[in-house]
Amino acid sequence: MSDNKKKRFKKIKGNNLWITIIAFVLIAVVFENLFVFTVKSFSLYIVESRFISEYDIVNVMTNMYDNNSDDADKAYKMLDEGNRDYIVCDKSGKILHSKGENTCSDEGALIRTSQSKEEIQVYKDSERGYVYPEDDKLALDFLSFRDWISEDVVDESSITMEAHEMDDDIESGISFVQDSELISLPIWIAVDLDGGEKVLKVKALLNSNAGDIILLVEIVGIMAIIVVAILIYMLVKAIMSFVRQRRLIRLFYTDPVTGGSNWMWYLYKGERTLRKRSSAGKSFALIDLTFVNYRNFCVCHSVSEGEELLKRVYNLIISDMNKKEICAHISSANFAILIGFDNEEELKYRINNMFRRLEKTDEHHKLCFQAGITYVVPVINSKGKAVRRKYINIEEEYNKACTASATLTDSMESQFAFFDDRLIEEQKWMDIVHENQERALANEEFVVYYQPKYDPVTNELKGAEALIRWVSPIFGFVSPGKFIPLFEKNGFITEIDHYMITHVARDQKMWLDKGMKCVPVSVNVSRAHFIESELAEQIRDMVDAEGIPHDLIEIELTESAFFDDKNAMIETINRLKGYGFSVSMDDFGSGYSSLNSLKDMPLDVLKLDAEFFRGKNEDNRGEIIVSEAIRLARSLNMRTVAEGVEIKEQVDFLASEGCDMIQGFYFAKPMPKEEFEGRMKS
Ligand code: C2E
Ligand code: MG
Ligand code: MG
């Protein structure tokens, strides 16, 4: 597929899906982080405010001790009445007194809370160290969050009690609540006693009550709802955009007439199929199928009926295909097909079979199809393995199928043609000729050569045929076989015929003016030209413009031309004869309806085709036909010219049979006018 088409396809296809998925993931990550951050910040806020309360309690305990510092036992007794576990140790760390289980770990640090600027020494609880100091701040171990909840959640009755009890405790500074809290997170707070002689480490319980939890749950819930709503919205959007994109792609590849595949699909899917590794060992045929009489059908019926028929044709084609094969309707009457095959015979059989089925698509009309075919076969490497056709370009390959199509003739019978590398050369030459024809004509690059016609008995010069040559400054000397058929196809032959008649008449005029005895010169007039209604008058005017007698010009018609409109042809011949021109039938015997043509056409000259004088003539059959043809012509008052005579025996034979003239290499090849002038003089 060309880069341009790929770009167009990408534009339609877009990267919406990937962009949406990436955006979706990014937003989900952002929301997730935001969510975690909020929950963490809120939890830490609660933990920190509880910590401050606990620190106040520790301060109360410190005061109680200080007030009784002269009687340590009494002080400990008072502290024991509270429900906080604690230890008192000396400077060396030796425990002097403790209450409850000592779970204070060595892991600790100085922290600062946002509400109090002073530094507080804390230690992690060795059993349930969910709260720990980190970078002089309190941190929470969220990984153990689930354990934390399950371990600490208590029954509802304790939750209802908790709020006022907590307040009371703090106010009194003596009694502490633990069981009524929903979540209790321990951390040890250390303060100096006795001016730094001792250290009091109190197990602070950072409790969260139901209010905190409900608030947290509410925040989490609301955030979760918002996040989920946004994510659902985005998901729905992404799905919708995905569905829309799929629809767009389908539309991009769908042919509006048949509802099947279109050219873009053929290029995309076809190229993928050809390039696939699994296809390396397989042969594929690319077919340019034309529904020949589609236009006629539309003219006789209607475009919509025509399109309905195309749809049926398309369905018939795909009904005979397997999944990997492709058929696409690419323009009004054309289908592009890609099918696999094993050998050429099988392929031909399949195409003929397809033709037979398609011809019967409409029961009231016989439809006609043409197919140009090219195929790609496995590429085998030096190890004998089929290699992947990685770089094959389906457009280029399909173009070959179209080139093969262009060689097919106008016919109402279905037919196909295979691509051949020579066709490319021919096509290129055709284009070159087409591009250069006008300029060549204007520059008079076309030159008239004359091939003399001689009397076989007297060897006297009796006439000549004017034959065109293209003497091109670019391509050199080009013989008519290389360009006349192309001019006949592209219509330029009419200009050439006019050019030749004018130039021959001009040369004749020049020779007459020189006082020479001129002979009639025959000019080939193409079949395409001959059915023009005014042809006889055009020729007359051209000859008159040069001012020569009409009997010096003879008009040659090829036998195949007689298949066209017979009445128009008879009419033109009669008018030409009426103006005094001779008319001859060229290449008599090369076609298959010559005798029939002779019956109706009032011709003057019969030119026996060169083929009569080619090849072996073991039992004289050729000679019999030639002598009978000469006799027939004489009976019909026609003169005979034998073309392509190369040897003396043929000349002697033709002389004995009464052939009027001989045009062949035996006497002379076609020659430039100067040389012919010399022959006329001699
Ligand atoms: P044609 O009109 O039948 O011309 C006779 C062809 O036979 C000429 O080929 C001539 O050179 C060739 N020929 C004559 N004698 C012999 C022979 O003894 N041996 C062999 N091997 N060939 C011989 P040429 O000139 O190549 O022309 C080919 C065809 O091109 C002509 O066949 C004619 O159909 C067409 N053509 C040539 N000039 C013109 C023209 O000015 N207008 C049109 N419409 N067609 C032309
Ligand atoms: Mg001729
Ligand atoms: Mg001829």
Side-chain angles (χ1 to χ4, degrees):
M1 216 198 293
S2 72
D3 287 350
N4 199 19
K5 288 207 181 83
K6 276 182 193 154
K7 269 188 209 156
R8 267 170 56 202
F9 171 62
K10 270 192 181 161
K11 240 188 210 174
I12 300 271
K13 196 175 160 218
N15 287 324
N16 297 351
L17 185 64
W18 285 111
I19 290 172
T20 315
I21 290 172
I22 291 167
F24 184 81
V25 171
L26 281 178
I27 291 177
V29 169
V30 167
F31 274 111
E32 194 251 1
N33 283 329
L34 200 70
F35 179 78
V36 170
F37 176 77
T38 312
V39 170
K40 261 187 176 175
S41 306
F42 183 75
S43 311
L44 272 171
Y45 172 77
I46 294 174
V47 165
E48 207 175 79
S49 41
R50 294 294 175 266
F51 178 81
I52 296 300
S53 317
E54 289 293 290
Y55 185 57
D56 289 343
I57 291 169
V58 173
N59 280 333
V60 170
M61 288 171 75
T62 311
N63 289 338
M64 282 167 74
Y65 179 87
D66 285 346
N67 292 340
N68 299 283
S69 57
D70 44 349
D71 185 354
D73 288 339
K74 191 181 166 199
Y76 294 147
K77 209 173 168 195
M78 285 181 75
L79 292 180
D80 287 346
E81 277 172 19
N83 62 355
R84 287 285 184 276
D85 293 344
Y86 70 93
I87 52 175
V88 177
C89 23
D90 62 13
K91 263 181 170 173
S92 64
K94 188 179 152 210
I95 297 171
L96 304 173
H97 181 82
S98 70
K99 179 185 175 238
E101 201 183 339
N102 176 14
T103 54
C104 180
S105 76
D106 294 334
E107 198 183 324
L110 285 168
I111 61 151
R112 254 177 231 279
T113 66
S114 48
Q115 289 157 51
S116 71
K117 288 280 169 264
E118 63 188 301
E119 287 188 320
I120 304 166
Q121 175 71 48
V122 293
Y123 294 94
K124 196 172 170 181
D125 186 79
S126 60
E127 273 189 349
R128 297 195 296 164
Y130 301 129
V131 185
Y132 56 94
E134 187 184 80
D135 299 338
D136 79 357
K137 286 255 178 309
L138 285 180
L140 271 173
D141 181 0
F142 275 90
L143 284 179
S144 311
F145 188 75
R146 257 183 299 161
D147 307 342
W148 173 32
I149 298 281
S150 55
E151 277 181 33
D152 291 304
V153 170
V154 291
D155 65 283
E156 252 182 64
S157 56
S158 64
I159 297 170
T160 48
M161 287 166 63
E162 156 253 358
H164 70 270
E165 281 178 10
M166 183 75 187
D167 292 344
D168 292 350
D169 291 343
I170 291 171
E171 267 166 36
S172 68
I174 304 167
S175 68
F176 310 104
V177 178
Q178 184 169 3
D179 294 343
S180 61
E181 300 302 335
L182 196 59
I183 297 170
S184 240
L185 302 173
I187 188 161
W188 292 77
I189 302 172
V191 288
D192 287 346
L193 294 179
D194 292 343
E197 288 301 311
K198 293 176 186 168
V199 179
L200 171 67
K201 294 179 181 173
V202 181
K203 186 176 185 178
L205 292 167
L206 312 181
N207 298 325
S208 293
N209 57 34
D212 298 332
I213 300 300
I214 288 165
L215 195 62
L216 183 66
V217 167
E218 271 175 10
I219 291 175
V220 169
I222 290 169
M223 282 199 65
I225 288 169
I226 293 172
V227 170
V228 168
I230 291 174
L231 291 183
I232 287 177
Y233 173 77
M234 287 188 60
L235 196 70
V236 169
K237 276 243 139 210
I239 291 171
M240 274 167 64
S241 116
F242 179 72
V243 169
R244 204 176 312 127
Q245 191 181 314
R246 293 259 90 182
R247 243 184 251 155
L248 208 65
I249 291 171
R250 204 173 309 139
L251 208 67
F252 185 70
Y253 285 135
T254 303
D255 168 56
V257 176
T258 59
S261 310
N262 64 9
W263 177 235
M264 291 308 288
W265 179 250
Y266 187 78
L267 295 183
Y268 170 71
K269 186 72 184 168
E271 198 161 89
R272 277 177 65 131
T273 305
L274 293 178
R275 287 184 178 186
K276 258 203 264 174
R277 197 180 298 278
S278 57
S279 303
K282 294 178 189 150
S283 300
F284 290 92
L286 293 97
I287 305 170
D288 169 48
L289 182 82
T290 310
F291 175 2
V292 178
N293 45 355
Y294 172 66
R295 281 274 150 242
N296 283 353
F297 186 90
C298 288
V299 170
C300 298
H301 298 81
S302 67
V303 174
S304 58
E305 279 178 84
E307 289 187 345
E308 197 48 48
L309 191 61
L310 284 176
K311 202 169 169 179
R312 276 155 54 203
V313 166
Y314 175 82
N315 287 332
L316 257 176
I317 298 172
I318 58 166
S319 68
D320 189 34
M321 286 184 153
N322 69 38
K323 263 188 170 179
K324 284 185 182 158
E325 298 178 333
I326 307 166
C327 172
H329 176 232
I330 60 170
S331 67
S332 62
N334 282 73
F335 296 87
I337 296 171
L338 179 78
I339 53 173
F341 71 101
D342 291 327
N343 58 63
E344 203 175 298
E345 282 315 304
E346 176 217 312
L347 178 64
K348 284 180 183 166
Y349 176 79
R350 197 169 163 190
I351 289 165
N352 275 322
N353 203 29
M354 179 172 76
F355 279 162
R356 299 297 86 84
R357 288 179 339 117
L358 294 181
E359 281 165 0
K360 292 184 210 135
T361 313
D362 186 88
E363 53 189 20
H364 304 297
H365 301 86
K366 188 195 171 203
L367 309 184
C368 169
F369 295 84
Q370 284 186 349
I373 308 161
T374 188
Y375 47 72
V376 287
V377 289
V379 182
I380 308 295
N381 66 11
S382 54
K383 290 176 192 154
K385 269 186 85 181
V387 276
R388 202 176 149 197
R389 291 174 278 243
K390 243 190 210 165
Y391 303 107
I392 195 162
N393 183 316
I394 193 167
E395 255 176 308
E396 274 173 28
E397 294 302 323
Y398 185 75
N399 200 23
K400 292 179 186 170
C402 296
T403 308
S405 278
T407 62
L408 292 168
T409 50
D410 291 346
S411 157
M412 287 315 275
E413 290 301 319
S414 295
Q415 49 179 330
F416 60 78
F418 280 95
F419 172 78
D420 184 309
D421 279 331
R422 272 180 327 205
L423 291 178
I424 295 266
E425 293 308 313
E426 281 173 22
Q427 187 68 42
K428 280 186 189 158
W429 173 245
M430 231 159 125
D431 292 344
I432 288 174
V433 170
H434 196 240
E435 275 167 26
N436 288 281
Q437 58 192 31
E438 302 278 354
R439 191 189 38 75
L441 192 78
N443 293 350
E444 303 236 328
E445 287 172 21
F446 296 109
V447 178
V448 184
Y449 268 49
Y450 292 89
Q451 187 176 26
K453 296 173 190 165
Y454 283 93
D455 184 316
V457 180
T458 62
N459 284 358
E460 198 184 330
L461 180 71
K462 282 291 185 93
E465 178 175 6
L467 295 160
I468 194 167
R469 301 289 181 262
W470 183 1
V471 186
S472 161
I474 310 168
F475 317 111
F477 188 88
V478 190
S479 57
K482 290 194 82 179
F483 59 89
I484 290 288
L486 306 187
F487 289 161
E488 279 173 345
K489 258 192 185 174
N490 71 23
F492 195 64
I493 194 70
T494 343
E495 313 270 334
I496 289 293
D497 287 349
H498 285 173
Y499 179 93
M500 288 296 282
I501 291 167
T502 304
H503 279 72
V504 168
R506 200 169 288 164
D507 288 347
Q508 296 270 50
K509 172 74 178 146
M510 176 191 71
W511 291 322
L512 283 177
D513 290 348
K514 283 184 180 174
M516 292 169 63
K517 188 174 169 279
C518 287
V519 289
V521 174
S522 60
V523 184
N524 292 284
V525 172
S526 151
R527 158 189 189 171
H529 203 166
F530 218 82
I531 43 169
E532 270 183 29
S533 57
E534 300 288 293
L535 181 73
E537 286 67 35
Q538 286 175 18
I539 293 175
R540 180 198 62 196
D541 295 346
M542 280 186 279
V543 174
D544 287 348
E546 304 304 327
I548 60 156
H550 293 180
D551 60 1
L552 287 183
I553 297 289
E554 183 181 308
I555 302 299
E556 281 192 24
L557 267 170
T558 50
E559 191 190 45
S560 58
F562 292 83
F563 290 111
D564 293 324
D565 187 344
K566 206 154 107 183
N567 292 334
M569 189 149 282
I570 294 170
E571 176 67 24
T572 305
I573 294 172
N574 279 329
R575 280 168 45 197
L576 280 168
K577 289 183 67 166
Y579 295 130
F581 298 105
S582 301
V583 183
S584 57
M585 182 193 276
D586 201 359
D587 305 337
F588 176 79
S590 64
Y592 48 84
S593 193
S594 322
L595 290 175
N596 208 14
S597 314
L598 285 185
K599 180 168 76 70
D600 304 309
M601 308 284 168
L603 299 158
D604 301 295
V605 180
L606 198 63
K607 294 190 77 179
L608 301 174
D609 191 62
E611 275 309 305
F612 285 122
F613 311 103
R614 299 278 168 273
K616 290 180 200 154
N617 186 21
E618 278 157 8
D619 48 5
N620 295 343
R621 290 171 77 92
E623 286 175 359
I624 294 167
I625 294 173
V626 169
S627 72
E628 288 305 319
I630 294 169
R631 195 165 340 159
L632 176 76
R634 204 181 300 127
S635 319
L636 293 169
N637 280 330
M638 294 166 78
R639 279 167 285 138
T640 42
V641 177
E643 280 189 298
V645 175
E646 293 182 349
I647 50 177
K648 177 142 183 13
E649 288 75 45
Q650 290 168 343
V651 178
D652 293 344
F653 165 71
L654 289 163
S656 67
E657 290 301 319
C659 178
D660 297 295
M661 279 171 270
I662 287 181
Q663 177 190 342
F665 291 178
Y666 175 77
F667 283 108
K669 287 189 173 178
M671 57 188 72
K673 67 176 176 192
E674 296 75 17
E675 201 179 317
F676 180 62
E677 190 180 315
R679 290 224 173 200
M680 277 201 292
K681 282 181 191 159
S682 65

